[in-house]
Amino acid sequence: MSNFFTDLVEQLKDEDTKILSDGGASAEFSGSIDTGSYALNALLSGSIYGGVPNNKVTAFAGESSTGKTFFVLGIVKQFLDANPEGGVIYFDTEAAVTKSMMDSRGVDTKRVVISEPDTIQKFRHTALQIIEKYSAQPQAKRKPMMMVLDSLGQLSSTKEMEDTAEGKETKDMTKSAILKATFRVLNLKLAKIGVPLIVTNHVYDVVGSYVPMKEMSGGSGLKYTASTIVYLSKRKDKDGTEVVGNIVRAKLHKSRLTKENSQVEIKITYSTGLDRYYGLLDIAEKYGIIKKVSTRYELSNGVKVFGKNINEEPEKYFTKDILDQIDEACKKEFLYGQETETISDNFDEIESVE
């Protein structure tokens, strides 16, 4: 029977049909893009050293000012840093991203192409043109590329634009269908050429819901297409009475890679930006890597410190050994089919700290 299928694939001579064990399926991905946050990496991929899949559609959805664009720009920087010859196509539908904003985040703007489509149809046409030109290159000569749509919620349809110009107030009933068709066309094409698409979107409260719920705008197109959808919400981070930043909760609304409904907290401060280590302490405590004794945490060398001290000097306490143990714990915490038992108490001793 195996010979039959092998012969069948050879006779078909279709580049889109192959034996799965030979590799090359569009669903496979060769790596991840670091988000800049260990906890967010773990939520998305099951590893603190992972991140956003490098050939799938990932969506960040939330209300205004929840950090959607902030996270996307961080991913853009990490992608460009990891791929010195790579480039990013950034679709900005809100006229919100400026050169100085990207410069301040350390993004190499010489390798960023900005496009400002005002309709779904214009975005689709431009994106498909880019994909066609990119895929026309010999595979060996293609440089790494990533696409960003920021944001989906601000895109109008051609009909909506025409109705507005004519003073009509009728609701556009075609927008959802157009969005669904757009992502249906883009999804497989992007996967085949190994190009990730990061999308931001707005959410709204579901009216009449028995339990308070949030839903993404734009219909079901992105919901069905995206491999990963993360809902973001925030609360103020205070030092005494002074607001010093935000604590962002990232909840996995949909994922084909990690457990849905998992969530982590990420810290963004006004002075230093994204805290790479925030959120790790909770995982370390849950899996017995760092033990909590009363109001303090006991390290493997017996030293007890407050959680605030660990969060203020994370590099001092989260050594490579500890990070590796947390990474193993994250597989149990976020990946499907993993046991949730705590890690052994016999962990490697970290450097003595006072």
Side-chain angles (χ1 to χ4, degrees):
M1 184 63 74
S2 60
N3 288 336
F4 167 76
F5 287 114
T6 301
D7 293 342
L8 177 64
V9 170
E10 290 177 354
Q11 291 169 17
L12 288 173
K13 295 179 179 177
D14 177 11
E15 63 179 13
D16 295 325
T17 305
K18 61 202 75 177
I19 301 294
L20 184 58
S21 62
D22 294 337
S26 298
E28 305 293 341
F29 62 96
S30 58
S32 304
I33 307 166
D34 188 356
T35 65
S37 162
Y38 281 136
L40 185 56
N41 286 347
L43 180 73
L44 295 172
S45 66
S47 170
I48 63 173
Y49 304 121
V52 176
N54 64 358
N55 73 333
K56 299 188 181 298
V57 179
T58 302
F60 292 95
E63 296 177 346
S64 177
S65 301
T66 49
K68 300 183 295 293
T69 299
F70 183 93
F71 286 119
V72 167
L73 289 180
I75 294 169
V76 166
K77 181 185 185 309
Q78 297 289 347
F79 177 82
L80 293 175
D81 288 349
N83 299 281
E85 294 185 295
V88 173
I89 311 296
Y90 201 106
F91 294 96
D92 181 10
T93 67
E94 299 180 330
V97 178
T98 63
K99 180 179 180 298
S100 61
M101 183 186 298
M102 286 200 177
D103 286 338
S104 68
R105 295 293 302 277
V107 176
D108 181 1
T109 54
K110 291 186 178 69
R111 293 188 285 144
V112 177
V113 176
I114 288 285
S115 179
E116 298 178 326
D118 54 1
T119 64
I120 305 163
Q121 290 89 336
K122 180 67 183 298
F123 161 69
R124 180 175 61 190
H125 177 69
T126 305
L128 287 174
Q129 279 190 312
I130 292 169
I131 291 170
E132 182 179 344
K133 293 183 183 299
Y134 183 79
S135 59
Q137 302 175 96
Q139 187 169 354
K141 293 186 177 181
R142 294 176 193 165
K143 306 302 181 185
M145 183 174 78
M146 180 171 73
M147 300 178 77
V148 174
L149 173 58
D150 184 18
S151 74
L152 173 64
Q154 285 297 99
L155 280 175
S156 301
S157 67
T158 301
K159 184 179 185 303
E160 187 176 37
M161 297 283 282
E162 291 172 350
D163 287 348
T164 301
E166 294 173 9
K168 297 180 181 179
E169 297 183 0
T170 54
K171 184 178 180 180
D172 179 15
M173 304 301 291
T174 67
K175 184 175 180 180
S176 179
I178 295 170
L179 277 172
K180 186 180 291 185
T182 296
F183 282 107
R184 189 164 56 238
V185 171
L186 288 176
N187 189 31
L188 188 57
K189 287 183 177 291
L190 289 168
K192 283 183 175 181
I193 59 176
V195 172
L197 171 62
I198 313 298
V199 181
T200 68
N201 200 6
H202 304 306
V203 297
Y204 61 89
D205 293 312
V206 178
V207 179
S209 172
Y210 180 72
V211 178
M213 293 177 61
K214 300 286 185 182
E215 186 59 85
M216 289 195 303
S217 62
S220 60
L222 178 60
K223 182 178 179 180
Y224 291 140
T225 298
S227 292
T228 304
I229 300 174
V230 181
Y231 276 16
L232 303 176
S233 59
K234 71 174 184 179
R235 70 176 191 271
K236 295 176 181 178
D237 180 30
K238 292 185 176 181
D239 184 3
T241 59
E242 181 185 2
V243 178
V244 295
N246 294 307
I247 303 296
V248 178
R249 175 182 294 173
K251 183 173 183 179
L252 208 52
H253 183 72
K254 175 189 176 182
S255 177
R256 295 190 177 114
L257 303 172
T258 48
K259 298 175 185 175
E260 293 180 0
N261 297 313
S262 300
Q263 60 186 26
V264 297
E265 288 193 339
I266 307 147
K267 185 176 182 179
I268 303 174
T269 60
Y270 298 146
S271 58
T272 58
L274 181 62
D275 187 327
R276 186 168 188 79
Y277 294 84
Y278 192 85
L280 293 186
L281 186 56
D282 291 337
I283 299 172
E285 179 190 351
K286 179 176 180 178
Y287 286 89
I289 300 168
I290 297 177
K291 296 180 180 180
K292 189 168 187 181
V293 180
S294 185
T295 59
R296 294 188 293 176
Y297 291 87
E298 183 177 352
L299 307 178
S300 59
N301 56 9
V303 174
K304 295 183 178 67
V305 293
F306 290 106
K308 182 178 180 180
N309 299 123
I310 295 176
N311 286 327
E312 287 177 349
E313 297 182 282
E315 295 90 346
K316 183 177 180 180
Y317 299 99
F318 291 113
T319 63
K320 182 64 167 61
D321 286 342
I322 295 297
L323 288 176
D324 288 345
Q325 291 178 63
I326 292 174
D327 189 52
E328 286 299 314
C330 286
K331 294 175 184 176
K332 296 179 173 65
E333 182 73 9
F334 299 110
L335 291 180
Y336 289 105
Q338 302 290 323
E339 296 181 2
T340 56
E341 63 186 33
T342 59
I343 289 177
S344 170
D345 291 338
N346 297 322
F347 45 83
D348 296 332
E349 186 171 320
I350 66 172
E351 294 179 5
S352 176
V353 290
E354 295 299 331

